[in-house]
Amino acid sequence: MATLALRNAEIVNEGRRFQADVLIRDGIIEHIGDLPAGLKANREIDLKGKLLLPGLIDDQVHFREPGLTHKATIASEARAAVAGGVTSFMEMPNTNPPATTIEELELKYARAAATSVANYSFFFGATNTNLDILKRVDATKVCGVKVFMGSSTGDMLVDHVATLEGIFQHSPTLIATHCEDTPMIKLAEAAAKAQWGEDVPAAEHGRIRSVEACYKSSSTAVELARRHGARLHVLHITTAKEIGLFSDAPLLGKRITAEACVHHLWFADDSYPKLGNKIKCNPAIKTKEDRAAIRDAVARGVIDVIATDHAPHTREEKNQPYVKAPSGLPLVQHPLLILLDLVAQGVFKIETVVQRACHAPAILFGVEKRGFIREGYYADLVVVDPQKPYTVTANNILYQCGWSPLEGHTFKNSIHQTFVNGVSVYENGKVNDASRGMRLTFNGNRR
Ligand code: DOR
């Protein structure tokens, strides 16, 4: 049996920060605390001066496979994920073909089993016409059902009122929504094009994909969920106005939860002049006041989860004029470093970061035996070096698209090592390409 001893780590877990050793056997955490004198594990690692956190569970990524592999693959982006301390991901259905049948969905799982170094799950994609299939999704093996209530990359808009009613009434599992009102956005887009032609300034994006468009759609989703008693998770909240739709009740009993993404917590409208269409994304990055409100909602537990919405596009695609440049930016390699910089700025406590990025996705989706440093749980762990700053450069970006909106930024911390199921998958700046993650399983109590 393979054993691994992590010694003298400063653990941040379940609201506490404390010094302890961790013994891992066959990928499972066996003991947390002082290890018996004389114990010698197969591998011993001294983590003095380092922080040990549960690996992040990123509940919203786009890894582009199948069909969009000129942008990214499951293999390439899973490598970037583990280099950033993300040990499990939940991937979105807007691939080509989209994951809107059980067969297409299972093909993605098979591809991940063969190529992903991180643990994985894939959302089933709702359409205007596949409610009968959606009803058959297995809640113990699939993270949730994704509903584009606003259209974004890919053509997956669900806007038939009767279909939405049916989804909220019958979904066998958690419903995750992208909320933006498409008719309002189309009008604003047309007005912007009439004024500027193709070269609409990127800073207009937050006014085109407006606060009102977000609010209209997310308030509709919340109303549908309340009326049907559905389990709703509203993805990527970007506006102060939407925060009133959610509550700070204890996560375990909540029927309606919300997510914020690192780019909306990091960037604001003052970033558009420098980064332009690189930070064009849906929903849009909005004002500093909106950012302050979502930071505050995350701190108070009104927003439950932090994710990335990692959405890579090639440089060439992003370099086009506003009207043609696709929305989305690559982020999955840096969420923890972003959040730890925000901790250094006094925006969050580190315990809150661990709660929202590691524990909360596990609780909210009912992920089995992950998301916490607990005896009997899988050893999905990230080691942070708080003494070693890290600069994002062209050489250390692992995304297939090869760019990051954070290039040139120096973070205060670095990712020292990552373990997935007890296996060291990232160490000394290198990914262990021989290792494969596991399919996430769920307790199925999310309906
Ligand atoms: O900006 C975005 N990009 N938002 C989405 O909802 C989709 C994503 C993508 O797939 O590119």
Side-chain angles (χ1 to χ4, degrees):
M1 286 213 267
T3 51
L4 167 66
L6 306 179
R7 301 208 183 248
N8 307 310
E10 175 99 354
I11 296 177
V12 185
N13 187 53
E14 303 197 58
R16 292 201 305 135
R17 190 172 170 151
F18 59 101
Q19 195 97 34
D21 303 332
V22 177
L23 180 66
I24 296 156
R25 186 183 301 272
D26 289 338
I28 303 289
I29 298 170
E30 182 171 282
H31 184 70
I32 304 164
D34 289 338
L35 300 185
L39 179 134
K40 190 97 182 83
N42 298 111
R43 186 171 178 197
E44 298 266 337
I45 303 177
D46 185 5
L47 295 181
K48 197 166 170 38
K50 310 281 194 304
L51 297 173
L52 183 66
L53 276 47
L56 279 69
I57 301 176
D58 191 342
D59 78 355
Q60 191 184 181
V61 301
H62 302 264
F63 282 0
R64 308 301 191 202
E65 201 173 349
L68 303 166
T69 52
H70 67 288
K71 297 178 196 275
T73 64
I74 292 170
S76 64
E77 308 314 273
R79 297 178 85 245
V82 298
V86 174
T87 50
S88 299
F89 63 83
M90 301 182 190
E91 208 261 357
M92 288 296 159
N94 58 337
T95 43
N96 187 15
T100 54
T101 65
I102 305 290
E103 294 72 24
E104 285 301 343
L105 186 62
E106 285 303 322
L107 284 175
K108 290 176 87 166
Y109 282 101
R111 188 72 188 143
T115 67
S116 175
V117 66
N119 302 316
Y120 49 88
S121 194
F122 295 88
F123 281 90
F124 177 84
T127 70
N128 275 325
T129 55
N130 72 351
L131 181 57
D132 282 343
I133 307 174
L134 185 151
K135 288 180 189 170
R136 301 204 309 267
V137 169
D138 182 345
T140 64
K141 290 164 73 188
V142 175
C143 50
V145 163
K146 169 73 182 281
V147 187
F148 280 92
M149 289 179 66
S151 95
S152 189
T153 308
D155 188 15
M156 293 195 62
L157 179 64
V158 183
D159 60 353
H160 291 175
V161 175
T163 307
L164 285 170
E165 293 281 348
I167 293 170
F168 279 80
Q169 192 176 356
H170 295 295
S171 175
T173 186
L174 176 146
I175 301 165
T177 55
H178 178 124
C179 286
E180 289 184 292
D181 186 70
T182 299
M184 286 173 84
I185 291 168
K186 285 204 164 135
L187 276 178
E189 233 165 35
K193 271 195 235 172
Q195 185 170 354
W196 284 287
E198 284 208 329
D199 263 319
V200 178
E204 290 302 307
H205 195 53
R207 284 182 280 276
I208 295 169
R209 289 192 168 250
S210 64
V211 170
E212 294 308 325
C214 292
Y215 186 78
K216 183 167 181 209
S217 180
S218 43
S219 55
T220 302
V222 166
E223 188 277 323
L224 279 164
R226 288 218 175 104
R227 194 150 40 77
H228 292 292
R231 177 68 193 85
L232 168 68
H233 185 45
V234 184
L235 301 169
H236 41 41
I237 296 300
T238 56
T239 71
K241 187 164 179 179
E242 291 166 284
I243 286 160
L245 296 168
F246 307 101
S247 93
D248 63 356
L251 178 56
L252 210 48
K254 271 190 189 180
R255 302 290 296 156
I256 298 175
T257 51
E259 177 212 79
C261 291
V262 284
H263 47 311
H264 299 120
L265 295 168
W266 183 255
F267 298 113
D269 51 359
D270 57 351
S271 308
Y272 284 113
K274 182 172 165 221
L275 292 166
N277 291 333
K278 278 191 174 154
I279 57 163
K280 181 188 178 197
C281 58
N282 305 335
I285 289 161
K286 301 200 173 57
T287 65
K288 280 188 179 166
E289 291 72 31
D290 288 305
R291 180 179 65 187
I294 56 176
R295 285 177 173 182
D296 178 63
V298 166
R300 290 187 297 121
V302 175
I303 291 179
D304 306 279
V305 164
I306 304 174
T308 65
D309 196 7
H310 173 76
H313 299 284
T314 65
R315 275 200 195 87
E316 296 69 34
E317 289 167 334
K318 290 296 265 183
N319 281 341
Q320 298 173 97
Y322 172 85
V323 167
K324 292 204 178 117
S327 288
L329 52 156
L331 290 153
V332 79
Q333 200 177 335
H334 306 114
L336 184 54
L337 296 183
I338 291 174
L339 293 169
L340 293 176
D341 264 24
L342 292 177
V343 169
Q345 291 172 26
V347 174
F348 301 125
K349 292 193 198 133
I350 190 166
E351 293 84 352
T352 306
V353 165
V354 171
Q355 172 64 29
R356 307 277 182 267
C358 312
H359 304 333
I363 297 169
L364 199 148
F365 286 88
V367 178
E368 290 182 318
K369 295 190 178 172
R370 301 188 190 277
F372 297 85
I373 302 180
R374 281 184 185 161
E375 292 171 5
Y377 276 50
Y378 289 101
D380 292 343
L381 303 165
V382 51
V383 181
V384 172
D385 189 340
Q387 257 97 50
K388 198 169 159 197
Y390 178 89
T391 304
V392 180
T393 66
N395 290 336
N396 57 30
I397 293 169
L398 297 186
Y399 312 133
Q400 183 181 299
C401 69
W403 67 275
S404 160
L406 299 156
E407 210 166 322
H409 181 78
T410 299
F411 289 109
K412 290 200 174 334
N413 299 264
S414 51
I415 306 299
H416 179 74
Q417 191 166 9
T418 307
F419 299 91
V420 172
N421 306 314
V423 177
S424 177
V425 292
Y426 178 74
E427 190 173 350
N428 299 322
K430 298 244 172 334
V431 176
N432 170 0
D433 282 309
S435 189
R436 291 292 169 265
M438 292 169 66
R439 181 170 184 160
L440 300 179
T441 57
F442 304 92
N443 62 26
N445 293 337
R446 290 160 295 144
R447 173 62 214 178

